[in-house]
mmCIF file of all heavy atoms in Angstrom:
data_model
loop_
_atom_site.group_PDB
_atom_site.id
_atom_site.type_symbol
_atom_site.label_atom_id
_atom_site.label_comp_id
_atom_site.label_asym_id
_atom_site.label_seq_id
_atom_site.Cartn_x
_atom_site.Cartn_y
_atom_site.Cartn_z
ATOM 1 N N MET A 1 184.075 -44.811 -18.337
ATOM 2 C CA MET A 1 183.160 -45.874 -18.389
ATOM 3 C C MET A 1 183.711 -47.187 -18.024
ATOM 4 O O MET A 1 183.161 -47.982 -17.174
ATOM 5 C CB MET A 1 182.522 -45.985 -19.758
ATOM 6 C CG MET A 1 181.712 -44.774 -20.197
ATOM 7 S SD MET A 1 180.408 -44.241 -19.163
ATOM 8 C CE MET A 1 181.083 -42.825 -18.357
ATOM 9 N N GLU A 2 184.847 -47.489 -18.534
ATOM 10 C CA GLU A 2 185.599 -48.782 -18.041
ATOM 11 C C GLU A 2 185.817 -48.787 -16.600
ATOM 12 O O GLU A 2 185.742 -49.851 -15.898
ATOM 13 C CB GLU A 2 186.728 -49.000 -18.889
ATOM 14 C CG GLU A 2 187.433 -50.342 -18.702
ATOM 15 C CD GLU A 2 186.585 -51.495 -18.983
ATOM 16 O OE1 GLU A 2 185.719 -51.367 -19.928
ATOM 17 O OE2 GLU A 2 186.721 -52.674 -18.423
ATOM 18 N N GLY A 3 186.324 -47.565 -16.089
ATOM 19 C CA GLY A 3 186.627 -47.532 -14.621
ATOM 20 C C GLY A 3 185.551 -47.759 -13.747
ATOM 21 O O GLY A 3 185.601 -48.507 -12.743
ATOM 22 N N ILE A 4 184.368 -47.220 -14.140
ATOM 23 C CA ILE A 4 183.073 -47.499 -13.324
ATOM 24 C C ILE A 4 182.627 -48.950 -13.439
ATOM 25 O O ILE A 4 182.292 -49.501 -12.418
ATOM 26 C CB ILE A 4 181.969 -46.522 -13.859
ATOM 27 C CG1 ILE A 4 182.336 -45.037 -13.565
ATOM 28 C CG2 ILE A 4 180.631 -46.914 -13.116
ATOM 29 C CD1 ILE A 4 181.338 -44.064 -14.330
ATOM 30 N N ALA A 5 182.772 -49.518 -14.618
ATOM 31 C CA ALA A 5 182.371 -50.845 -14.801
ATOM 32 C C ALA A 5 183.259 -51.798 -13.978
ATOM 33 O O ALA A 5 182.863 -52.744 -13.260
ATOM 34 C CB ALA A 5 182.393 -51.258 -16.288
ATOM 35 N N GLU A 6 184.623 -51.565 -14.063
ATOM 36 C CA GLU A 6 185.622 -52.364 -13.354
ATOM 37 C C GLU A 6 185.415 -52.260 -11.774
ATOM 38 O O GLU A 6 185.480 -53.211 -11.053
ATOM 39 C CB GLU A 6 186.962 -51.931 -13.737
ATOM 40 C CG GLU A 6 187.398 -52.301 -15.043
ATOM 41 C CD GLU A 6 188.811 -51.803 -15.425
ATOM 42 O OE1 GLU A 6 189.336 -51.113 -14.621
ATOM 43 O OE2 GLU A 6 189.335 -52.230 -16.464
ATOM 44 N N ALA A 7 185.037 -50.979 -11.330
ATOM 45 C CA ALA A 7 184.787 -50.815 -9.898
ATOM 46 C C ALA A 7 183.549 -51.688 -9.539
ATOM 47 O O ALA A 7 183.587 -52.269 -8.430
ATOM 48 C CB ALA A 7 184.557 -49.392 -9.653
ATOM 49 N N LEU A 8 182.570 -51.670 -10.254
ATOM 50 C CA LEU A 8 181.375 -52.424 -9.951
ATOM 51 C C LEU A 8 181.562 -53.933 -9.939
ATOM 52 O O LEU A 8 180.983 -54.651 -9.128
ATOM 53 C CB LEU A 8 180.274 -52.211 -10.903
ATOM 54 C CG LEU A 8 179.533 -50.790 -10.761
ATOM 55 C CD1 LEU A 8 178.645 -50.554 -11.979
ATOM 56 C CD2 LEU A 8 178.744 -50.661 -9.519
ATOM 57 N N GLU A 9 182.560 -54.393 -10.680
ATOM 58 C CA GLU A 9 182.911 -55.822 -10.710
ATOM 59 C C GLU A 9 184.000 -56.163 -9.716
ATOM 60 O O GLU A 9 184.254 -57.366 -9.517
ATOM 61 C CB GLU A 9 183.404 -56.108 -12.145
ATOM 62 C CG GLU A 9 182.292 -56.012 -13.245
ATOM 63 C CD GLU A 9 182.812 -56.022 -14.578
ATOM 64 O OE1 GLU A 9 184.093 -55.787 -14.743
ATOM 65 O OE2 GLU A 9 182.194 -56.414 -15.536
ATOM 66 N N ASP A 10 184.586 -55.190 -9.098
ATOM 67 C CA ASP A 10 185.670 -55.486 -8.204
ATOM 68 C C ASP A 10 185.263 -56.230 -6.993
ATOM 69 O O ASP A 10 184.167 -55.925 -6.445
ATOM 70 C CB ASP A 10 186.370 -54.217 -7.695
ATOM 71 C CG ASP A 10 187.577 -54.410 -6.888
ATOM 72 O OD1 ASP A 10 188.636 -54.642 -7.386
ATOM 73 O OD2 ASP A 10 187.375 -54.296 -5.639
ATOM 74 N N PRO A 11 185.989 -57.341 -6.526
ATOM 75 C CA PRO A 11 185.481 -58.186 -5.422
ATOM 76 C C PRO A 11 185.281 -57.303 -4.129
ATOM 77 O O PRO A 11 184.330 -57.669 -3.416
ATOM 78 C CB PRO A 11 186.611 -59.225 -5.251
ATOM 79 C CG PRO A 11 187.228 -59.282 -6.606
ATOM 80 C CD PRO A 11 187.069 -57.869 -7.293
ATOM 81 N N SER A 12 186.140 -56.392 -3.893
ATOM 82 C CA SER A 12 185.994 -55.550 -2.723
ATOM 83 C C SER A 12 184.765 -54.731 -2.713
ATOM 84 O O SER A 12 184.096 -54.554 -1.724
ATOM 85 C CB SER A 12 187.228 -54.683 -2.396
ATOM 86 O OG SER A 12 187.436 -53.722 -3.482
ATOM 87 N N VAL A 13 184.399 -54.207 -3.880
ATOM 88 C CA VAL A 13 183.199 -53.401 -4.051
ATOM 89 C C VAL A 13 181.999 -54.313 -3.985
ATOM 90 O O VAL A 13 181.006 -53.976 -3.226
ATOM 91 C CB VAL A 13 183.215 -52.671 -5.375
ATOM 92 C CG1 VAL A 13 181.770 -51.968 -5.622
ATOM 93 C CG2 VAL A 13 184.357 -51.593 -5.344
ATOM 94 N N VAL A 14 182.026 -55.449 -4.646
ATOM 95 C CA VAL A 14 180.914 -56.468 -4.584
ATOM 96 C C VAL A 14 180.645 -56.861 -3.117
ATOM 97 O O VAL A 14 179.596 -56.932 -2.684
ATOM 98 C CB VAL A 14 181.049 -57.653 -5.470
ATOM 99 C CG1 VAL A 14 180.088 -58.743 -5.279
ATOM 100 C CG2 VAL A 14 181.205 -57.279 -6.938
ATOM 101 N N GLY A 15 181.782 -57.087 -2.403
ATOM 102 C CA GLY A 15 181.689 -57.400 -0.910
ATOM 103 C C GLY A 15 181.071 -56.403 -0.111
ATOM 104 O O GLY A 15 180.207 -56.687 0.643
ATOM 105 N N ALA A 16 181.384 -55.101 -0.479
ATOM 106 C CA ALA A 16 180.679 -54.010 0.256
ATOM 107 C C ALA A 16 179.217 -53.886 -0.036
ATOM 108 O O ALA A 16 178.453 -53.670 0.813
ATOM 109 C CB ALA A 16 181.327 -52.755 -0.076
ATOM 110 N N ILE A 17 178.866 -54.160 -1.330
ATOM 111 C CA ILE A 17 177.549 -54.137 -1.762
ATOM 112 C C ILE A 17 176.663 -55.225 -1.099
ATOM 113 O O ILE A 17 175.653 -54.960 -0.504
ATOM 114 C CB ILE A 17 177.448 -54.255 -3.303
ATOM 115 C CG1 ILE A 17 177.888 -52.912 -3.904
ATOM 116 C CG2 ILE A 17 175.917 -54.505 -3.677
ATOM 117 C CD1 ILE A 17 177.995 -53.156 -5.447
ATOM 118 N N THR A 18 177.205 -56.440 -1.221
ATOM 119 C CA THR A 18 176.460 -57.605 -0.564
ATOM 120 C C THR A 18 176.408 -57.643 0.937
ATOM 121 O O THR A 18 175.681 -58.298 1.603
ATOM 122 C CB THR A 18 177.039 -58.868 -1.166
ATOM 123 O OG1 THR A 18 178.431 -59.005 -0.884
ATOM 124 C CG2 THR A 18 176.830 -59.024 -2.695
ATOM 125 N N GLY A 19 177.347 -56.794 1.484
ATOM 126 C CA GLY A 19 177.364 -56.706 3.019
ATOM 127 C C GLY A 19 176.135 -55.791 3.520
ATOM 128 O O GLY A 19 175.945 -55.806 4.685
ATOM 129 N N ASN A 20 175.457 -55.093 2.570
ATOM 130 C CA ASN A 20 174.342 -54.343 2.933
ATOM 131 C C ASN A 20 173.024 -55.156 2.712
ATOM 132 O O ASN A 20 172.870 -55.674 1.562
ATOM 133 C CB ASN A 20 174.216 -53.066 2.048
ATOM 134 C CG ASN A 20 175.236 -52.034 2.447
ATOM 135 O OD1 ASN A 20 175.036 -51.251 3.483
ATOM 136 N ND2 ASN A 20 176.387 -51.947 1.648
ATOM 137 N N PRO A 21 172.275 -55.439 3.681
ATOM 138 C CA PRO A 21 171.006 -56.134 3.424
ATOM 139 C C PRO A 21 170.221 -55.428 2.394
ATOM 140 O O PRO A 21 169.930 -54.250 2.429
ATOM 141 C CB PRO A 21 170.235 -56.080 4.761
ATOM 142 C CG PRO A 21 171.331 -55.823 5.795
ATOM 143 C CD PRO A 21 172.396 -54.933 5.085
ATOM 144 N N GLY A 22 169.849 -56.221 1.353
ATOM 145 C CA GLY A 22 169.068 -55.575 0.198
ATOM 146 C C GLY A 22 169.949 -54.991 -0.857
ATOM 147 O O GLY A 22 169.444 -54.499 -1.847
ATOM 148 N N GLY A 23 171.297 -54.955 -0.655
ATOM 149 C CA GLY A 23 172.136 -54.354 -1.593
ATOM 150 C C GLY A 23 172.038 -52.843 -1.647
ATOM 151 O O GLY A 23 171.855 -52.209 -0.614
ATOM 152 N N ILE A 24 172.363 -52.268 -2.816
ATOM 153 C CA ILE A 24 172.249 -50.820 -2.948
ATOM 154 C C ILE A 24 171.397 -50.413 -4.123
ATOM 155 O O ILE A 24 170.962 -51.320 -4.964
ATOM 156 C CB ILE A 24 173.680 -50.242 -3.135
ATOM 157 C CG1 ILE A 24 174.200 -50.712 -4.574
ATOM 158 C CG2 ILE A 24 174.584 -50.582 -2.044
ATOM 159 C CD1 ILE A 24 175.486 -49.841 -4.929
ATOM 160 N N LEU A 25 171.095 -49.144 -4.296
ATOM 161 C CA LEU A 25 170.575 -48.609 -5.496
ATOM 162 C C LEU A 25 171.599 -47.881 -6.233
ATOM 163 O O LEU A 25 172.461 -47.232 -5.623
ATOM 164 C CB LEU A 25 169.376 -47.653 -5.199
ATOM 165 C CG LEU A 25 168.071 -48.336 -4.694
ATOM 166 C CD1 LEU A 25 167.059 -47.202 -4.263
ATOM 167 C CD2 LEU A 25 167.448 -49.256 -5.751
ATOM 168 N N PHE A 26 171.649 -47.988 -7.579
ATOM 169 C CA PHE A 26 172.724 -47.413 -8.303
ATOM 170 C C PHE A 26 172.017 -46.680 -9.535
ATOM 171 O O PHE A 26 171.193 -47.160 -10.252
ATOM 172 C CB PHE A 26 173.667 -48.433 -8.860
ATOM 173 C CG PHE A 26 174.718 -47.992 -9.771
ATOM 174 C CD1 PHE A 26 175.924 -47.520 -9.340
ATOM 175 C CD2 PHE A 26 174.499 -47.839 -11.234
ATOM 176 C CE1 PHE A 26 176.944 -47.095 -10.180
ATOM 177 C CE2 PHE A 26 175.526 -47.440 -12.013
ATOM 178 C CZ PHE A 26 176.687 -47.009 -11.569
#
């Protein structure tokens, strides 16, 4: 659970998410 949460908060992951118009569904 902590690994998933940390991944969602990671700057590289956030950058990948925000690089998609409209973001993602999770």
Side-chain angles (χ1 to χ4, degrees):
M1 296 303 104
E2 185 61 29
I4 296 166
E6 288 178 353
L8 288 170
E9 295 167 336
D10 184 79
S12 61
V13 173
V14 173
I17 290 171
T18 56
N20 285 282
I24 68 168
L25 289 173
F26 174 92

